[in-house]
Amino acid sequence: MSTPPATQSLAFRVMRLCRPSFHVDTPLLLDPSDLILGEDIFDDPLAATHLPPLIDTHLTNPIDSSDLSYRSRFLLQNPSDSFGLSGLLVLPQSFGAIYLGETFCSYVSINNSSNFEVRDIVIKAEMQTERQRILLLDTSKTPVESIRASGRYDFIVEHDVKELGAHTKYLPQFFKFIVANPLSVRTKVRVVKETTYLEACIENHTKTNLYMDQVEFEPAPNWSAKILKADEHKSEDNSPSREIFKPPVLVKSGGGIRNYLYQLSLSSHGSAESNVLGKLQITWRTNLGEPGRLQTQQILGTSITPKEIELHVAEVPSAINLDRPFLVHLNLTNQTDRELGPFEVWLSQDDTLDEKTVMINGLQTMELSQLEAFGSTDFYLNLIATKLGVQKITGIKVFDKSEKKTYAPLPDLEIFVDMH
C-alpha cells in the first residue's frame, strides 16, 4: 500500500461475525386467576356459572400505558409470553467459542485516518494453524483502488475450520483463538455370525443444542450399510410431509448423547481387502441455523475372511413323519471369481449310528457338478427321521474334489417329527 514514508495512515479493525442469540425475559410471568382461584373452584356449579364473567371482566381491561407503577409487569397478557421470548435479539458480547467443523467468519474494516487519499492498497490475510499456513485473501493482482480521507474499506473473510488447537490470523495485526471439538464420536464394532454391526455414540460438548441434519455412514468399497431404527408410529411413517421435510435430531447441550446403529454387509461379489469399514459424515445446525460438518477417520473392524462357498437351506417340508423319507431343498453358491468343484455332499458320521436320528435315505454321497464364478445350484437331500419330537439335522458337509478341501458343515437345523 502506498503511504507517506513516516506515517502509517491505515488502521485495521477485525471483528468476528456470528449470529445473535434470543433475548429471554428471566422473570416468570403468571396468570392472575391462578393466584386467586384454586384448581377445584369450578367443581362448584354456582362458581362455574358466575365466576368466569367476573374474571374476564377484571382481566381483560386494557393496561394503561401511562401507569408508571409497573404493577402489571409480571402478568401474563398473552399465552405466547409464557415462552419468555421478547422478540428481541442480542448481539454477541464476547469473542465466543469456535468449534471444529464450523466456518469462522471475520469482518475486517480498514480505516484511513489521514487527511489524504490512499491508493492501490494490497491486502493479505493468512491463517496459521499448528500444521500449516493458509492464505485467506490476497489482492496483489487486483488491489483496492483507493480509500478516501477519513474513509474506510470493509470486507469479510471466511475460513472452514478443519483443525483443532491454536489458530492465528495474520493481517498487519494478528489475533489468536483456540478451536475446540464440538462432538465426540465413540464407535463399537460387533460381528454376529456373518453380519457386522457398527454402533456410533455422538456426544455434544458445546454449550448450545445441536440439531443433526445428517449422520451418514459411508462404507468402504465392497461394503454396504443400512441404518437400523426403532419402529415408528404408522401415522408418522405414512405422513407425506416426512418425505419432504425430515426433522433434525436434537442432541442437547452439555453432554447430550445420541446413538446410531448400522448394519454392514460385505458384497457377495467382493472381498474385504482390509479391515477398513468406512467413515461417518456428520452435519448439524445450532439454534439459529449456523451449520457445522465433521468427518471421522476411517473406522476399523475385525478382518473378515470371506467364504469360498455358501451352503444354506432353501426349504424344509412343513410336515415330517416318522420313518418316512422327506426332501430338504438346499442351495450351494460359489462366492469366488473362479470356477470351483466338482463337489460331494454327505452327512457326517462323527456320531454313532445309534445317536443319529436323521439320516440320508439312499446313496450316502451326492455328486454336484462344477460351479462357475459367482454361480449357484439347487439340489435336494433325501432324508429320513427315526425318532419323534424335535430333532436336529447335523453334519451336512461339502467336499471339493479338485482342491481336496472339506468346507465347514451347515449349521444344525431343527425339525419336528410327527407320527404318520
Side-chain angles (χ1 to χ4, degrees), residues 51-99:
L51 278 178
L54 180 62
I55 295 173
D56 291 340
T57 302
H58 175 72
L59 297 180
T60 55
N61 291 331
I63 299 175
D64 186 4
S65 58
S66 63
D67 182 7
L68 301 180
S69 65
Y70 297 102
R71 60 185 176 184
S72 61
R73 64 186 181 276
F74 295 128
L75 299 186
L76 189 66
Q77 306 299 331
N78 190 291
S80 62
D81 295 340
S82 59
F83 286 108
L85 299 178
S86 63
L88 301 176
L89 295 176
V90 179
L91 294 175
Q93 303 300 306
S94 61
F95 186 81
I98 298 179
Y99 293 104

Side-chain angles (χ1 to χ4, degrees), residues 1 31 35 49 57 74 89 97 136 216 220 226 230 235 241 249 278 298 313 322 333 342 345 373 382 395 417:
M1 65 189 79
D31 191 325
L35 297 178
T49 304
T57 302
F74 295 128
L89 295 176
L136 302 180
E216 181 179 347
K226 173 186 176 184
S235 62
S241 62
V249 176
Q298 295 285 2
V313 178
L322 183 67
T333 302
V345 181
N382 190 354
V417 182

